[in-house]
Amino acid sequence: MQNQEQAVVFDEERAATYDERFAALLRDTLHLLTRLVLADIPVNGRILCIGVGFALKDI
């Protein structure tokens, strides 16, 4: 077992190219999910966005 490969580390170089490599896939996936979630909203429906975050409340 002298020729074991070293584990690939998520280093600075890989981190710099990560977004570039997966940006299109992530964007397309988010668009698909958004369309699915908003599909049942009526044509004259309105969406209200407040702030930049969200909150969850335990019941």
Side-chain angles (χ1 to χ4, degrees):
M1 291 201 172
Q2 293 175 343
N3 295 333
Q4 291 180 342
E5 293 183 24
Q6 291 183 349
V8 176
V9 178
F10 194 74
D11 58 8
E12 221 174 289
E13 181 181 338
R14 285 183 177 81
T17 60
Y18 184 84
D19 288 340
E20 294 171 13
R21 291 177 58 205
F22 295 103
L25 177 62
L26 292 172
R27 183 188 61 239
D28 292 346
T29 302
L30 288 173
H31 286 180
L32 172 66
L33 291 173
T34 301
R35 281 190 225 106
L36 290 172
V37 168
L38 301 178
D40 294 334
I41 294 177
V43 174
N44 62 347
R46 300 288 185 258
I47 300 172
L48 174 63
C49 296
I50 300 174
V52 295
F54 66 93
L56 298 174
K57 181 179 179 183
D58 291 334
I59 297 177

